[in-house]
mmCIF file of all heavy atoms in Angstrom:
data_model
loop_
_atom_site.group_PDB
_atom_site.id
_atom_site.type_symbol
_atom_site.label_atom_id
_atom_site.label_comp_id
_atom_site.label_asym_id
_atom_site.label_seq_id
_atom_site.Cartn_x
_atom_site.Cartn_y
_atom_site.Cartn_z
ATOM 1 N N GLN V 1521 -26.078 29.411 -8.512
ATOM 2 C CA GLN V 1521 -26.664 30.171 -9.611
ATOM 3 C C GLN V 1521 -27.799 29.382 -10.273
ATOM 4 O O GLN V 1521 -28.829 29.945 -10.652
ATOM 5 C CB GLN V 1521 -25.590 30.516 -10.641
ATOM 6 C CG GLN V 1521 -26.090 31.481 -11.691
ATOM 7 C CD GLN V 1521 -24.954 32.044 -12.512
ATOM 8 O OE1 GLN V 1521 -24.290 31.351 -13.261
ATOM 9 N NE2 GLN V 1521 -24.721 33.342 -12.380
ATOM 10 N N ARG V 1536 -46.541 37.065 -11.461
ATOM 11 C CA ARG V 1536 -47.196 37.465 -12.706
ATOM 12 C C ARG V 1536 -48.400 36.602 -13.049
ATOM 13 O O ARG V 1536 -49.001 36.768 -14.114
ATOM 14 C CB ARG V 1536 -46.183 37.414 -13.865
ATOM 15 C CG ARG V 1536 -44.969 38.323 -13.729
ATOM 16 C CD ARG V 1536 -45.353 39.778 -13.907
ATOM 17 N NE ARG V 1536 -46.059 39.989 -15.134
ATOM 18 C CZ ARG V 1536 -45.602 40.727 -16.146
ATOM 19 N NH1 ARG V 1536 -44.442 41.296 -16.080
ATOM 20 N NH2 ARG V 1536 -46.331 40.903 -17.223
ATOM 21 N N TYR V 1541 -52.470 32.799 -17.082
ATOM 22 C CA TYR V 1541 -52.170 32.985 -18.509
ATOM 23 C C TYR V 1541 -52.209 31.642 -19.249
ATOM 24 O O TYR V 1541 -52.736 31.534 -20.354
ATOM 25 C CB TYR V 1541 -50.772 33.592 -18.707
ATOM 26 C CG TYR V 1541 -50.657 35.068 -18.441
ATOM 27 C CD1 TYR V 1541 -49.579 35.574 -17.712
ATOM 28 C CD2 TYR V 1541 -51.579 35.980 -18.960
ATOM 29 C CE1 TYR V 1541 -49.430 36.938 -17.490
ATOM 30 C CE2 TYR V 1541 -51.432 37.341 -18.739
ATOM 31 C CZ TYR V 1541 -50.361 37.818 -18.002
ATOM 32 O OH TYR V 1541 -50.211 39.167 -17.789
ATOM 33 N N ARG V 1548 -58.249 29.718 -25.069
ATOM 34 C CA ARG V 1548 -58.279 30.796 -26.085
ATOM 35 C C ARG V 1548 -58.961 32.059 -25.557
ATOM 36 O O ARG V 1548 -59.795 32.662 -26.239
ATOM 37 C CB ARG V 1548 -58.986 30.309 -27.352
ATOM 38 C CG ARG V 1548 -58.377 29.026 -27.905
ATOM 39 C CD ARG V 1548 -58.930 28.719 -29.282
ATOM 40 N NE ARG V 1548 -58.497 27.382 -29.697
ATOM 41 C CZ ARG V 1548 -58.414 26.966 -30.947
ATOM 42 N NH1 ARG V 1548 -58.742 27.796 -31.934
ATOM 43 N NH2 ARG V 1548 -58.019 25.758 -31.250
ATOM 44 N N ARG V 1552 -56.318 40.718 -20.629
ATOM 45 C CA ARG V 1552 -55.208 41.383 -19.958
ATOM 46 C C ARG V 1552 -55.496 41.415 -18.460
ATOM 47 O O ARG V 1552 -56.632 41.615 -18.042
ATOM 48 C CB ARG V 1552 -55.034 42.804 -20.510
ATOM 49 C CG ARG V 1552 -54.810 42.801 -22.025
ATOM 50 C CD ARG V 1552 -54.436 44.168 -22.515
ATOM 51 N NE ARG V 1552 -53.104 44.524 -22.039
ATOM 52 C CZ ARG V 1552 -52.577 45.723 -22.147
ATOM 53 N NH1 ARG V 1552 -53.254 46.705 -22.689
ATOM 54 N NH2 ARG V 1552 -51.365 45.968 -21.696
ATOM 55 N N MET V 1553 -54.460 41.209 -17.668
ATOM 56 C CA MET V 1553 -54.681 41.118 -16.217
ATOM 57 C C MET V 1553 -53.982 42.217 -15.440
ATOM 58 O O MET V 1553 -54.204 42.371 -14.251
ATOM 59 C CB MET V 1553 -54.193 39.759 -15.704
ATOM 60 C CG MET V 1553 -54.909 38.589 -16.353
ATOM 61 S SD MET V 1553 -54.576 37.034 -15.515
ATOM 62 C CE MET V 1553 -52.817 36.859 -15.786
ATOM 63 N N GLN V 1555 -50.556 43.858 -13.779
ATOM 64 C CA GLN V 1555 -49.533 43.142 -13.021
ATOM 65 C C GLN V 1555 -49.253 43.851 -11.712
ATOM 66 O O GLN V 1555 -49.361 45.055 -11.603
ATOM 67 C CB GLN V 1555 -48.202 43.089 -13.789
ATOM 68 C CG GLN V 1555 -48.294 42.661 -15.210
ATOM 69 C CD GLN V 1555 -48.502 43.854 -16.127
ATOM 70 O OE1 GLN V 1555 -48.246 44.988 -15.765
ATOM 71 N NE2 GLN V 1555 -48.955 43.580 -17.318
ATOM 72 N N GLN V 1559 -42.044 44.695 -6.171
ATOM 73 C CA GLN V 1559 -42.021 45.383 -4.878
ATOM 74 C C GLN V 1559 -43.231 45.020 -4.015
ATOM 75 O O GLN V 1559 -43.184 45.149 -2.788
ATOM 76 C CB GLN V 1559 -41.994 46.914 -5.082
ATOM 77 C CG GLN V 1559 -40.644 47.489 -5.452
ATOM 78 C CD GLN V 1559 -40.255 47.239 -6.902
ATOM 79 O OE1 GLN V 1559 -41.084 46.865 -7.736
ATOM 80 N NE2 GLN V 1559 -38.981 47.416 -7.234
ATOM 81 N N LYS V 1685 -47.050 7.183 -8.807
ATOM 82 C CA LYS V 1685 -47.998 7.609 -9.857
ATOM 83 C C LYS V 1685 -49.339 8.054 -9.261
ATOM 84 O O LYS V 1685 -50.072 8.819 -9.870
ATOM 85 C CB LYS V 1685 -48.269 6.452 -10.821
ATOM 86 C CG LYS V 1685 -47.051 5.976 -11.611
ATOM 87 C CD LYS V 1685 -46.852 6.766 -12.884
ATOM 88 C CE LYS V 1685 -45.753 6.158 -13.730
ATOM 89 N NZ LYS V 1685 -45.205 7.103 -14.723
ATOM 90 N N ASP V 1701 -34.811 18.148 -9.423
ATOM 91 C CA ASP V 1701 -33.922 18.519 -10.523
ATOM 92 C C ASP V 1701 -33.574 20.008 -10.478
ATOM 93 O O ASP V 1701 -33.027 20.543 -11.438
ATOM 94 C CB ASP V 1701 -34.644 18.216 -11.851
ATOM 95 C CG ASP V 1701 -33.704 17.682 -12.923
ATOM 96 O OD1 ASP V 1701 -32.530 17.435 -12.616
ATOM 97 O OD2 ASP V 1701 -34.155 17.511 -14.072
ATOM 98 N N ALA V 1702 -33.899 20.677 -9.361
ATOM 99 C CA ALA V 1702 -33.687 22.131 -9.305
ATOM 100 C C ALA V 1702 -32.227 22.471 -9.551
ATOM 101 O O ALA V 1702 -31.905 23.358 -10.329
ATOM 102 C CB ALA V 1702 -34.133 22.684 -7.954
ATOM 103 N N GLN O 661 -38.333 47.270 -15.211
ATOM 104 C CA GLN O 661 -38.175 46.142 -14.287
ATOM 105 C C GLN O 661 -39.255 45.082 -14.518
ATOM 106 O O GLN O 661 -38.978 43.887 -14.459
ATOM 107 C CB GLN O 661 -38.245 46.642 -12.844
ATOM 108 C CG GLN O 661 -37.888 45.573 -11.840
ATOM 109 C CD GLN O 661 -37.650 46.151 -10.472
ATOM 110 O OE1 GLN O 661 -38.551 46.653 -9.826
ATOM 111 N NE2 GLN O 661 -36.426 46.101 -10.017
ATOM 112 N N ARG O 676 -34.141 25.956 -18.936
ATOM 113 C CA ARG O 676 -34.368 24.810 -18.062
ATOM 114 C C ARG O 676 -35.367 23.812 -18.635
ATOM 115 O O ARG O 676 -35.729 22.851 -17.961
ATOM 116 C CB ARG O 676 -34.861 25.303 -16.687
ATOM 117 C CG ARG O 676 -33.924 26.224 -15.942
ATOM 118 C CD ARG O 676 -32.719 25.486 -15.412
ATOM 119 N NE ARG O 676 -33.077 24.321 -14.644
ATOM 120 C CZ ARG O 676 -32.826 24.150 -13.343
ATOM 121 N NH1 ARG O 676 -32.221 25.116 -12.664
ATOM 122 N NH2 ARG O 676 -33.160 23.049 -12.730
ATOM 123 N N TYR O 681 -40.839 19.627 -18.494
ATOM 124 C CA TYR O 681 -41.282 19.329 -17.120
ATOM 125 C C TYR O 681 -42.812 19.362 -17.031
ATOM 126 O O TYR O 681 -43.419 18.504 -16.381
ATOM 127 C CB TYR O 681 -40.717 20.358 -16.130
ATOM 128 C CG TYR O 681 -39.266 20.194 -15.745
ATOM 129 C CD1 TYR O 681 -38.424 21.304 -15.696
ATOM 130 C CD2 TYR O 681 -38.731 18.957 -15.399
ATOM 131 C CE1 TYR O 681 -37.092 21.189 -15.312
ATOM 132 C CE2 TYR O 681 -37.399 18.829 -15.017
ATOM 133 C CZ TYR O 681 -36.587 19.944 -14.975
ATOM 134 O OH TYR O 681 -35.277 19.832 -14.591
ATOM 135 N N ARG O 688 -47.491 12.279 -15.597
ATOM 136 C CA ARG O 688 -46.984 11.615 -14.383
ATOM 137 C C ARG O 688 -45.668 10.883 -14.647
ATOM 138 O O ARG O 688 -45.479 9.746 -14.213
ATOM 139 C CB ARG O 688 -48.022 10.634 -13.820
ATOM 140 C CG ARG O 688 -49.373 11.304 -13.568
ATOM 141 C CD ARG O 688 -50.273 10.369 -12.803
ATOM 142 N NE ARG O 688 -51.634 10.944 -12.768
ATOM 143 C CZ ARG O 688 -52.531 10.651 -11.853
ATOM 144 N NH1 ARG O 688 -52.251 9.794 -10.904
ATOM 145 N NH2 ARG O 688 -53.719 11.196 -11.889
ATOM 146 N N ARG O 692 -35.554 12.919 -14.344
ATOM 147 C CA ARG O 692 -34.586 13.997 -14.162
ATOM 148 C C ARG O 692 -33.923 14.280 -15.503
ATOM 149 O O ARG O 692 -33.635 13.376 -16.273
ATOM 150 C CB ARG O 692 -33.549 13.608 -13.118
ATOM 151 C CG ARG O 692 -34.200 13.269 -11.773
ATOM 152 C CD ARG O 692 -33.156 13.074 -10.704
ATOM 153 N NE ARG O 692 -32.518 14.354 -10.398
ATOM 154 C CZ ARG O 692 -31.446 14.485 -9.626
ATOM 155 N NH1 ARG O 692 -30.885 13.426 -9.114
ATOM 156 N NH2 ARG O 692 -30.926 15.673 -9.393
ATOM 157 N N MET O 693 -33.696 15.556 -15.783
ATOM 158 C CA MET O 693 -33.167 15.911 -17.104
ATOM 159 C C MET O 693 -31.790 16.545 -17.022
ATOM 160 O O MET O 693 -31.147 16.763 -18.043
ATOM 161 C CB MET O 693 -34.127 16.876 -17.805
ATOM 162 C CG MET O 693 -35.508 16.283 -18.032
ATOM 163 S SD MET O 693 -36.515 17.284 -19.132
ATOM 164 C CE MET O 693 -36.659 18.815 -18.190
ATOM 165 N N GLN O 695 -29.362 19.836 -16.295
ATOM 166 C CA GLN O 695 -29.601 21.206 -16.741
ATOM 167 C C GLN O 695 -28.374 21.768 -17.430
ATOM 168 O O GLN O 695 -27.253 21.391 -17.127
ATOM 169 C CB GLN O 695 -29.912 22.136 -15.552
ATOM 170 C CG GLN O 695 -30.917 21.634 -14.579
ATOM 171 C CD GLN O 695 -30.268 20.828 -13.471
ATOM 172 O OE1 GLN O 695 -29.069 20.908 -13.244
ATOM 173 N NE2 GLN O 695 -31.062 20.038 -12.794
ATOM 174 N N GLN O 699 -24.687 30.023 -18.503
ATOM 175 C CA GLN O 699 -23.506 30.358 -19.301
ATOM 176 C C GLN O 699 -23.534 29.684 -20.674
ATOM 177 O O GLN O 699 -22.892 30.162 -21.610
ATOM 178 C CB GLN O 699 -22.217 29.922 -18.577
ATOM 179 C CG GLN O 699 -21.759 30.849 -17.462
ATOM 180 C CD GLN O 699 -22.589 30.717 -16.192
ATOM 181 O OE1 GLN O 699 -23.359 29.765 -16.023
ATOM 182 N NE2 GLN O 699 -22.465 31.680 -15.289
ATOM 183 N N LYS O 825 -59.830 33.886 -32.305
ATOM 184 C CA LYS O 825 -59.984 32.547 -31.706
ATOM 185 C C LYS O 825 -59.417 31.456 -32.619
ATOM 186 O O LYS O 825 -59.052 30.377 -32.150
ATOM 187 C CB LYS O 825 -61.470 32.238 -31.459
ATOM 188 C CG LYS O 825 -62.137 33.164 -30.456
ATOM 189 C CD LYS O 825 -62.002 32.643 -29.038
ATOM 190 C CE LYS O 825 -62.840 33.493 -28.086
ATOM 191 N NZ LYS O 825 -62.408 33.389 -26.698
ATOM 192 N N HIS O 840 -50.628 40.774 -24.743
ATOM 193 C CA HIS O 840 -50.005 42.108 -24.739
ATOM 194 C C HIS O 840 -49.992 42.662 -23.308
ATOM 195 O O HIS O 840 -50.450 43.773 -23.055
ATOM 196 C CB HIS O 840 -50.729 43.066 -25.690
ATOM 197 C CG HIS O 840 -49.844 44.223 -26.121
ATOM 198 N ND1 HIS O 840 -49.913 44.807 -27.374
ATOM 199 C CD2 HIS O 840 -48.853 44.883 -25.468
ATOM 200 C CE1 HIS O 840 -49.022 45.784 -27.465
ATOM 201 N NE2 HIS O 840 -48.367 45.856 -26.308
ATOM 202 N N ASP O 841 -49.431 41.890 -22.423
ATOM 203 C CA ASP O 841 -49.517 42.188 -20.997
ATOM 204 C C ASP O 841 -48.139 42.156 -20.333
ATOM 205 O O ASP O 841 -48.036 42.142 -19.106
ATOM 206 C CB ASP O 841 -50.414 41.125 -20.329
ATOM 207 C CG ASP O 841 -51.309 41.700 -19.245
ATOM 208 O OD1 ASP O 841 -51.314 42.931 -19.073
ATOM 209 O OD2 ASP O 841 -51.989 40.906 -18.576
ATOM 210 N N ALA O 842 -47.074 42.106 -21.146
ATOM 211 C CA ALA O 842 -45.725 41.953 -20.574
ATOM 212 C C ALA O 842 -45.426 43.074 -19.601
ATOM 213 O O ALA O 842 -44.932 42.842 -18.506
ATOM 214 C CB ALA O 842 -44.679 41.926 -21.682
#
Side-chain angles (χ1 to χ4, degrees):
Chain V
Q1521 189 167 67
R1536 300 289 306 245
Y1541 283 136
R1548 306 190 189 203
R1552 303 189 69 190
M1553 300 192 296
Q1555 312 90 19
Q1559 282 76 14
K1685 296 273 187 199
D1701 218 6
Chain O
Q661 188 167 67
R676 300 288 308 244
Y681 283 136
R688 305 190 189 204
R692 302 188 69 189
M693 299 191 297
Q695 312 90 18
Q699 281 76 14
K825 297 271 188 201
H840 202 146
D841 218 5

